[in-house]
Amino acid sequence: MKAVILKGRTLACAIVVALCALLAAPGIAPAAPLGSISLACMHERDGVSVPVARDRYAVVAVATASVENGGVRYATLPAFEEVSCDWSSLDVEGLRERSRAAHEVFLRDGMAPVATIVTDDAGRARAAELAAGIYLVARIETASQNEDVLVDPVLVGVPATVDGKLEYDVVAYPKFEDVPGPQPDKPGGLIPGFDLPTTGDMQLALVGVLLLLGTATLWSSRRVAEGSSDSSAS
């Protein structure tokens, strides 16, 4: 019995030692924490900020990320290699340009998203359990009440640096704008290259015509008067 107990203890110790060695082995690190992206979709209408609800968005992986010494290192995925850059050095304008470029690649090649999310009545949506990386968030379905509102695609990093700390639950605020209204038609009229006059032009033209008519009437009256004078003299 004592021998059996010793063998059991020996086996347990061996398992513990093996696990410690496995965790301490070079190249093996604890799994990185998962993160999330939350959308806050709001648009100003008539001076009031209102939620942009019931739109569907695709969340597409563009690059992977690893945290090293408190910083984040990115590796662009092969599908987006043509838009690869130094992601950590992008300013606001550079990030906007890369977002549009990545969106074009997504539309052209039809990559499968890692998640699709729909904004609720408060204009919010959340994609959870995302591995560290850079994600393209783009609207793929528009609710009927939002068809007059445009939204830019955005690139979101997980984790993001907030106040010098890495934040794995990231909130993104897409930029919305109204669809431009229809431009008025400009018919060419009888003579190609010439537009019809505007209301102001018509008013000026009318004044000019009246002045000309007045001048012609005055001149005609004078001619009649002079003719009458000549006849009387005769």
Side-chain angles (χ1 to χ4, degrees), residues 104-185:
E104 290 178 1
V105 174
F106 165 64
L107 293 178
R108 183 192 69 201
D109 297 341
M111 285 86 167
V114 297
T116 58
I117 52 180
V118 179
T119 52
D120 59 17
D121 290 337
R124 294 186 174 274
R126 183 172 182 265
E129 298 185 353
L130 298 177
I134 294 177
Y135 295 88
L136 172 72
V137 182
R139 185 168 67 177
I140 55 175
E141 292 181 16
T142 306
S144 58
Q145 70 271 17
N146 301 327
E147 291 179 351
D148 60 342
V149 179
L150 300 175
V151 59
D152 290 337
V154 293
L155 286 173
V156 183
V158 178
T161 303
V162 180
D163 297 330
K165 299 180 180 180
L166 294 180
E167 177 61 58
Y168 281 82
D169 296 313
V170 184
V171 181
Y173 301 86
K175 179 183 177 183
F176 294 88
E177 61 181 348
D178 293 324
V179 174
Q183 297 296 319
D185 294 332

Side-chain angles (χ1 to χ4, degrees), residues 22-122:
L22 182 62
L23 291 176
I28 298 178
L34 298 177
S36 67
I37 297 175
S38 295
L39 296 184
C41 300
M42 304 294 292
H43 179 54
E44 187 170 306
R45 294 177 184 268
D46 300 324
V48 179
S49 185
V50 298
V52 185
R54 302 304 170 189
D55 287 344
R56 184 179 297 274
Y57 291 81
V59 181
V60 185
V62 174
T64 59
S66 58
V67 178
E68 301 176 3
N69 300 321
V72 184
R73 181 185 295 274
Y74 300 103
T76 306
L77 295 174
F80 287 94
E81 187 61 36
E82 66 186 86
V83 300
S84 181
C85 64
D86 183 1
W87 299 104
S88 59
S89 67
L90 292 176
D91 57 12
V92 174
E93 186 57 36
L95 190 61
R96 183 179 296 114
E97 188 274 330
R98 290 291 89 184
S99 298
R100 292 170 179 167
H103 188 227
E104 290 178 1
V105 174
F106 165 64
L107 293 178
R108 183 192 69 201
D109 297 341
M111 285 86 167
V114 297
T116 58
I117 52 180
V118 179
T119 52
D120 59 17
D121 290 337

